[in-house]
């Protein structure tokens, strides 16, 4: 099985699927292709939460604002899973969880793009051609057109998809046998999700992501709500509920989301709008006192 | 085969797919994950129109504004199909059609979540943890964090997907053999799509849904347009056409949609905007007279 | 394998998938269902760029603003691929590339809808029914309700999906054996993407499409940028870069996209907004002089 995740929208993921289907019969499952554009941290969060529910698989992940620069293309082996994507941190939080939480269990390899067998499109690499505007076109600099097997701007199709397919065919256990993979010298680029500051009656955290419902997902562990009926979020007191329906339709609440973090929500409404919060904003949670009856 | 429908957007459906793939090799086919949020009636309409085109399958349906409340999770067996989702009516119109139109042919079961085997995420259920804000955290009330196998807010992942996978593995014929299913005591929650009032020269109906093209789909059977070249819709006379192209680009018309109902459309434009109509709005259709030539 | 492409949004593609799954076990892969509405040229461009990356397949393509008119439903055999869709040009650019660039290699067939076996929905073709508003309902004209196996407005479900499934089952080599296919008399409707005018120091082209990132894709071959460090695009001088990261975040540049054409982009931003360009707008590229150092 190969899962696919990107910030591509459409139809670019289809080109990746075509390449995958040319190289493997593996089952393909889309995770999402509308992750916030070029937002490594948001994608890293979601992948860490979603990928552990999959059976052993190769995970093709292309959130890659640095495409075409000298950032590496890497393969991270984590337990029975392998993750393939750019070395910008987006793979790391998910890889750590899939590997059981220990960095030491991860094996990281660098893709040598020049040794990776390219996927020729049907009909051949015809592409458009024309005369250069510059009289100086033999003098180096930009070379125009396509140069070699990999385009400069679509490594999802030309590097990551071929690599993911070939890792799948070799088996997750065997990346070291692939001659176009070399062990990474040093550590991969890290991506740490921010940790909240916990005090006795106050937690200072931030918004990690907002989901498509508008639920505001913070980095504050849900445990802090234990025993609380109400909480003060950024100065406003809201009920704590186990479910959205704990409050009337249209009312705000704090709850523990399915990922275990404190969420700021509205029952059948949008928490991001009601709380005026966006990704990265600070969230201060305080105890609303101990005036509960029981 | 398992089909998936929800109002989740992304990436939550991927967590459901992961769980399904952990429990079954069944083919997975997405129906849609962008149904209007928490709109049981709209989803019920679309599912009734779309699911009958599928071969025998398990249909996983999660439009669930009452997630975490005491509404039941149910399995409805309808002919060679089984539908799995919340007991809020969303399954019923499709189930009736798949079952041949007779309520008596449907068998409904309740999921006992406590007996359903959970799906452990890879790397274990680590999740975040922290100290509670409340000094009173052992005193009951909200318990924080994850409590048991099912989260309070993501039953798609923790209840419905496991149930759908296990029904698929047992076979649609055999839900009674699954020890975590009990026959429903009484009738499932109903969802009836509104019926129009038909008179000789006047039909009073309403807008069921608007599709992504902006076509306004009413609850009025297409038969009422038989023999009409023109019709009066909410006071305005528009042509009746068999196809959008029966009128010039940008012009309004009434037609019979692929589901058999009267639609109010614009050729290559948006009927919802041109007619000023939204879901639930009333639609009065009247005869435009018999001044046709033939 | 069958790929699916349309401008349907959701959930209409699911009805096509249901029909396909009723008639074949072929693997289904979505290309995109959010192509710009009824924009034959944009879809034709994307399909030409994406489909060649797939292995031999049947490609079901429904961008069909003339649905229900007398335009034909066609099957085009191109090399080891077959394309199924409306005869409005949308298949042609991709078919030519899949067929190796020679029109002579394409075989085109017309679907006789009356001889195509329909797909009955489960529960039977019940549909709604009612009395006609017109006293004149036996006099011809619009017939209301569903007439025969094919709806007038959803040929994706009722014509193209059955045809694609049956072509897949017969084999791409054998469309001539399908008794509901007749060789097309004459040529299919053409769709030519516009060609730029190339002069020595000036290229007059136009915008073909903008992608989901806002990158503006022109019809100007990337070769014209060879040797250029800067270029004048519609009067404004911008750097030429191999990658988005060649300029600071938020800055404009010209680059060669993964399809081989000149793109006008913004690093981590939207080129369409920054350049004020939309589909069909003219783009004049001029040499920025030869004042480069090397």
């Amino acid at each position: 099985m190969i899962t696919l995740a990107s910030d591509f929208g459409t139809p670019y993921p289809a080109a990746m699927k075509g390449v995958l289907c040319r190289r493997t019969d593996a089952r393909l499952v889309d995770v999402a292709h509308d992750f916030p554009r070029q937002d490594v941290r948001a994608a890293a969060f979601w992948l860490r939460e979603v990928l552990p529910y999959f059976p052993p698989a190769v995970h093709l992940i292309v959130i890659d604002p640095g495409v075409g620069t000298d950032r590496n293309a890497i393969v991270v082996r984590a337990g029975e899973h392998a993750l393939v994507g750019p070395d910008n941190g987006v793979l790391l939080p998910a890889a750590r969880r899939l590997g059981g939480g220990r960095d030491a269990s991860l094996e990281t390899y660098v893709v040598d793009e020049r040794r990776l067998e390219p996927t020729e499109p049907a009909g051949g690499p015809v592409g458009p051609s024309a005369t250069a505007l510059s009289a100086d076109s033999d003098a180096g600099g930009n070379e125009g057109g396509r140069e070699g097997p990999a385009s400069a701007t679509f490594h999802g199709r030309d590097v990551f998809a071929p690599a993911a397919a070939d890792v799948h065919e070799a088996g997750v256990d065997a990346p070291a046998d692939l001659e176009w993979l070399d062990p990474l010298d040093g550590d991969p680029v890290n991506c740490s999700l921010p940790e909240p500051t916990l005090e006795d009656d106050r937690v200072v955290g931030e918004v990690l992501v907002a989901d498509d419902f508008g639920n505001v997902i913070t980095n504050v562990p849900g445990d802090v709500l234990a025993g609380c009926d109400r909480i003060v979020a950024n100065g406003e007191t809201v009920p704590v509920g186990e479910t959205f329906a704990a409050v009337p339709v249209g009312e705000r609440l704090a709850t523990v989301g399915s990922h275990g973090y404190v969420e700021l929500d509205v029952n059948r409404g949008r928490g991001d709008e009601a709380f005026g919060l966006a990704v990265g904003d600070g969230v201060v949670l305080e105890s609303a006192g101990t005036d509960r009856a029981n």
Side-chain angles (χ1 to χ4, degrees), chain A:
Chain A
M1 175 177 303
I2 300 175
T3 76
L4 296 91
S6 77
D7 60 356
F8 285 167
T10 60
Y12 293 122
M16 296 202 295
K17 291 181 192 179
V19 168
L20 292 170
C21 290
R22 289 271 283 276
R23 301 170 86 103
T24 171
D25 292 323
R27 187 177 194 170
L28 307 183
V29 182
D30 288 313
V31 171
H33 294 289
D34 59 354
F35 280 118
R37 285 277 148 72
Q38 304 172 327
D39 183 340
V40 166
R41 196 181 85 173
F45 170 78
W46 284 118
L47 293 167
R48 186 189 70 180
E49 297 303 320
V50 168
L51 296 187
Y53 287 92
F54 279 87
V58 174
H59 304 288
L60 168 58
I61 297 166
V62 195
I63 288 86
D64 189 19
V67 59
T69 65
D70 59 2
R71 67 96 189 88
N72 284 317
I74 59 173
V75 175
V76 180
R77 184 182 163 195
E80 300 178 279
H81 298 254
L83 302 92
V84 179
D87 184 15
N88 62 15
V90 70
L91 311 182
L92 267 286
R96 284 195 191 99
R97 186 159 294 179
L98 292 169
R102 304 181 313 285
D103 270 30
S105 72
L106 304 182
E107 296 170 15
T108 305
Y109 301 86
V110 180
V111 176
D112 182 341
E113 301 169 14
R114 296 160 305 176
R115 287 186 282 159
L116 190 60
E117 188 191 353
T119 304
E120 285 295 330
V126 288
S129 64
T131 306
L133 278 175
S134 167
D136 204 22
S137 60
D138 295 330
N142 188 283
E143 302 191 18
R146 301 189 191 185
E147 337 160 8
S151 67
T153 54
F154 194 5
H155 283 194
R157 180 190 71 192
D158 297 335
V159 177
F160 298 119
D166 293 4
V167 168
H168 183 276
E169 292 307 284
V172 167
D173 294 344
D177 299 341
L178 292 164
E179 65 96 18
W180 46 269
L181 276 181
D182 300 306
L184 177 69
D185 190 17
D187 292 323
V189 172
N190 197 14
C191 171
S192 290
L193 297 171
E195 294 289 335
T197 308
L198 304 174
E199 302 169 14
D200 275 354
D201 60 353
R202 189 179 148 94
V203 184
V204 180
E206 77 178 72
V207 178
L208 288 180
V209 295
D211 70 16
D212 284 354
F213 289 85
N215 298 321
V216 172
I217 302 171
T218 74
N219 64 340
V220 179
D223 290 347
V224 304
L225 299 185
C228 296
D229 285 344
R230 293 174 298 124
I231 196 122
V232 180
N234 285 0
E236 300 190 68
T237 303
V238 294
V240 172
E242 289 191 18
T243 72
F244 305 128
V247 297
V249 169
E251 294 287 313
R252 297 185 296 184
L253 77 159
T255 189
V256 182
S258 58
H259 28 68
Y261 290 96
V262 173
E263 279 187 12
L264 300 174
D265 307 324
V266 168
N267 184 18
R268 304 202 191 188
R270 294 193 66 91
D272 50 358
E273 295 173 3
F275 285 93
L277 286 171
V279 173
D281 286 352
V283 174
V284 178
L285 300 179
E286 294 170 282
S287 170
T290 56
D291 54 356
R292 292 199 304 123
N294 59 330

